[in-house]
Amino acid sequence: MTLISVDEALARLLDGVSPLEAETVPLDNANGRTLAADIRANRTQPPFSASAMDGYAVRAADIASVPARLRVIGEAPAGHGFSGAVGPGEAVRIFTGAPLPRGADTILIQENAERSADGGEITALETAEHGRYVRPAGLDFHEGDTLLAAGQTLGFADLALAAAMNHATLPVYRRPRVAILATGDELVPPGGDPGPDQIIASNHIGVGALVEDNGGTAIQLGIAEDRADALARKIAAARDAKADVLVTLGGASVGDHDLVQDALGQAGMDLAFWRIAMRPGKPLMAGRIGDMQVLGLPGNPVSSLVCSLLFLKPLLAALSGRPRIERLSEQLPLAADVGENDRREDYLRASLEIGDDGIERVRPFERQDSSMLATLARADVLIVRPPYGPALPAGTPVPVIRI
């Protein structure tokens, strides 16, 4: 099969993918979820004209010149409005958030008032214009206003707004369920005791964290041995878990011990593509088994995580109803020269530097081997080098993906 470009692979992967079904969840379970419908306010906020400060509700005309003496006729704490009306020469003691009494149009803050010993009068020491320190009804929003839009990911401020709009629950897209399967006789779980020819499995941990960070639910299937029956059982376990996506790690090439693609084919996978013109990540594979998306990532640690950023993250966004991620939307200047590129699109791990001029620049690491997780962990961005790209001097703007 001919190598295809990253853009073509993304298009094939996302073709026909639609958001998962919606579900209604309580507000305190909605953080990080994606809205499945526009949300309108169920009430006006504030629902009445309210005091923005502690002080006295007065008529601006009565304190147009100072000092001015006013008779205190009542009190209005928050949650307990004054039922009467403020007339000429009168004032009501008021606290932040309380409704503005009828007849009053201004708040004289308490620092600018002097109260008599018996509490029956105040002397206004400063003037205040009409409407001073008054929050008018609907200052924040009005009933029926659409304030949260379908497709947006909910954060802390959005949830506080939804609560103020008087919503106790919200409609959100279901979290994608992602089954993650590491493969290979050479792998031992973290904390295990590897033999002389084995290594510690790490890819599944990183991929699982990326899934959770992007709104999915990670289902760890463990490590499958390099045997057709072991792989078949794990693939069946993914389907039993009702996974929306199965991510396999390693074994997707064509060596004698690379059995994953055959096992997926035996399970009924319709192959969408295999082998991408990119570095790292050439042996990437994608397809479907029924309704379950399949993404076969390379076994090299950096390759699997870079491919997760480029392919799994956009797939999760599509399943979650979020807008498509534009992968090359930012450019930054190089802090060092880079050489020319070959026929594959290159993703160089790089650090960010801020010069004396305050401009961010990117410096690629000298060593880019796809087994080196330490450099990926230190990287701030991936520099994207197009196929057959020429050598570039320091200062040239290049497209980057922030990690």
Side-chain angles (χ1 to χ4, degrees):
M1 185 177 288
T2 305
L3 296 179
I4 64 172
S5 70
V6 172
D7 287 336
E8 183 180 351
L10 264 175
R12 292 192 194 182
L13 177 68
L14 300 179
D15 182 39
V17 176
S18 56
L20 301 171
E21 68 273 15
E23 59 185 5
T24 300
V25 301
L27 280 183
D28 55 3
N29 289 336
N31 189 38
R33 304 293 293 274
T34 305
L35 272 178
D38 293 346
I39 304 298
R40 293 182 172 85
N42 286 334
R43 61 177 285 141
T44 295
Q45 178 65 17
F48 43 74
S49 293
S51 176
M53 300 286 283
D54 291 349
Y56 296 88
V58 301
R59 303 182 336 141
D62 288 340
I63 59 171
S65 61
V66 292
R69 295 176 65 186
L70 304 174
R71 184 165 62 92
V72 179
I73 61 171
E75 185 173 279
H80 301 280
F82 179 72
S83 60
V86 175
E90 295 179 337
V92 168
R93 179 74 165 115
I94 197 167
F95 297 87
T96 303
L100 187 71
R102 286 181 295 115
D105 55 36
T106 300
I107 301 300
L108 174 68
I109 61 174
Q110 60 189 18
E111 296 93 325
N112 294 337
E114 186 176 271
R115 195 158 184 173
S116 64
D118 63 4
E121 289 185 339
I122 60 168
T123 299
L125 305 176
E126 298 283 347
T127 62
E129 68 273 17
H130 185 281
R132 183 66 169 165
Y133 298 119
V134 174
R135 293 174 179 149
L139 174 66
D140 198 359
F141 53 81
H142 291 84
E143 183 177 353
D145 287 350
T146 299
L147 302 176
L148 298 170
Q152 74 178 86
T153 300
L154 296 166
F156 68 94
D158 305 312
L159 295 177
L161 175 58
M165 293 160 66
N166 201 24
H167 288 274
T169 61
L170 291 173
V172 295
Y173 291 109
R174 178 171 63 78
R175 292 184 186 274
R177 294 171 58 83
V178 182
I180 303 169
L181 173 60
T183 68
D185 290 344
E186 76 277 14
L187 299 179
V188 174
D193 186 15
D197 302 318
Q198 293 181 303
I199 60 173
I200 302 298
S202 60
N203 300 2
H204 65 297
I205 299 299
V207 173
L210 183 141
V211 167
E212 297 286 343
D213 285 348
N214 288 276
T217 299
I219 305 168
Q220 295 289 358
L221 298 180
I223 300 171
E225 299 169 337
D226 286 324
R227 297 197 325 271
D229 62 325
L231 289 166
R233 284 196 299 272
K234 295 292 188 180
I235 295 168
R239 302 189 73 173
D240 291 343
K242 302 187 185 306
D244 302 295
V245 183
L246 168 61
V247 175
T248 62
L249 302 168
S253 296
V254 292
D256 292 341
H257 299 282
D258 294 320
L259 309 176
V260 173
Q261 190 171 150
D262 285 345
L264 292 168
Q266 290 295 320
M269 183 183 73
D270 181 16
L271 183 66
F273 62 82
W274 174 54
R275 301 176 76 223
I276 314 297
M278 62 179 289
R279 181 193 300 107
K282 177 182 173 182
L284 183 76
M285 172 182 62
R288 281 178 176 268
I289 300 176
D291 293 334
M292 184 172 66
Q293 296 272 352
V294 177
L295 192 60
L297 302 182
N300 281 325
V302 175
S303 300
S304 70
L305 296 178
V306 168
C307 288
S308 293
L309 281 170
L310 296 179
F311 295 96
L312 182 55
K313 185 175 179 178
L315 178 57
L316 291 172
L319 290 170
S320 300
R322 296 193 296 274
R324 176 163 176 167
I325 298 168
E326 297 299 330
R327 67 187 183 97
L328 302 180
S329 60
E330 184 179 8
Q331 293 205 349
L332 292 174
L334 287 166
D337 299 346
V338 297
E340 61 184 8
N341 194 24
D342 62 15
R343 64 181 182 139
R344 287 194 280 167
E345 190 164 276
D346 219 349
Y347 292 83
L348 304 176
R349 284 153 279 171
S351 60
L352 280 175
E353 299 178 359
I354 300 178
D356 294 337
D357 54 6
I359 296 176
E360 284 187 316
R361 293 176 175 80
V362 291
R363 182 180 297 276
F365 294 118
E366 290 186 12
R367 301 178 67 183
Q368 295 285 335
D369 189 277
S370 60
S371 68
M372 296 175 63
L373 277 174
T375 54
L376 181 63
R378 297 203 316 272
D380 302 302
V381 298
L382 297 173
I383 297 172
V384 184
R385 297 281 287 121
Y388 303 108
L392 299 175
T396 306
V398 290
V400 300
I401 298 172
R402 291 186 187 260
I403 298 177

